[in-house]
Amino acid sequence: MVFFGADAAEPSVADLAGLLAGPGEVVRMGGTARLSVRVDAAWRVHVLVAELRQRGLAASWEPTGDERHAVRTSYTRILKPLAAAWLHGPAKRPPDTFHLTGRRLRLWLAAAGTPEPPGGFLLRLGEGDQECWEPVGAALAAAGLAGTFIGSDEGGPAYRITGRRRLARLAELVGGPPPATPVDAWPARP
């Protein structure tokens, strides 16, 4: 078992920081908060709804009209600390203590990870989350997954993970594919 791998700890609400590292959004309303993420495939919907429910959160989804799906939680007090840590005014930015664990990477990958032949993986970021991009890249590097930043003009924003060792590390950290995941959509263990 990898020390920070997805199987190393029980699921927790703190894991949802992985969605916020990618394209996830969190909004506050009174003393509550709601997390949402837009995904490009139905299998991602099934995986994320199951992951949210594992953490005791009511989750729903709906098509967005652009061949994507919006997955979101209900407003709940449980998410208020996560929102407080990540929101700085209207901007989303990781807290200074942000780090990536296997469970956080697993959620990010489930929401926005894309294989990139012939041997890479893209971890997509939020379009308007420029304040997140650099600290998230630093957290990837600290987890042994230093990636190349891909800008919007090159098909991003995303971090590209390449190299046999880094891809093996990614596969170790995120664990095996969740049910409903297409075989080629998840990093293979060496």
Side-chain angles (χ1 to χ4, degrees):
M1 180 167 27
V2 177
F3 183 61
F4 286 109
D7 299 327
E10 291 298 313
S12 76
V13 172
D15 301 335
L16 301 179
L19 292 174
L20 296 176
E25 299 175 5
V26 65
V27 294
R28 290 184 267 208
M29 184 173 72
T32 66
R34 175 174 76 182
L35 184 106
S36 62
V37 63
R38 289 171 45 117
V39 298
D40 63 3
W43 71 266
R44 296 182 194 278
V45 171
H46 295 288
V47 170
L48 292 176
V49 166
E51 291 282 353
L52 292 167
R53 288 184 178 153
Q54 262 190 323
R55 289 159 178 83
L57 298 165
S60 63
W61 69 274
E62 66 183 15
T64 61
D66 59 354
E67 297 185 26
R68 296 173 62 90
H69 311 275
V71 177
R72 66 178 148 256
T73 67
S74 297
Y75 281 97
T76 176
R77 280 183 242 128
I78 295 170
L79 294 174
K80 187 178 175 186
L82 189 68
W86 278 78
L87 291 178
H88 302 275
K92 179 179 90 170
R93 187 173 63 234
D96 293 338
T97 58
F98 176 67
H99 62 282
L100 286 165
T101 63
R103 288 208 175 268
R104 290 176 181 185
L105 278 163
R106 185 177 179 85
L107 287 170
W108 184 6
L109 187 77
T114 308
E116 190 183 52
F121 231 90
L122 288 182
L123 292 172
R124 299 202 175 276
L125 301 159
E127 282 285 332
D129 298 335
Q130 290 88 345
E131 291 189 44
C132 289
W133 299 346
E134 189 177 324
V136 166
L140 275 169
L145 298 169
T148 304
F149 178 76
I150 306 300
S152 298
D153 55 333
E154 303 172 84
Y159 277 98
R160 178 182 288 137
I161 309 298
T162 57
R164 188 177 50 80
R165 282 189 179 159
R166 286 187 191 116
L167 291 170
R169 173 85 173 141
L170 179 63
E172 274 184 321
L173 286 169
V174 299
T181 305
V183 175
D184 61 344
W186 202 260
R189 291 186 177 178

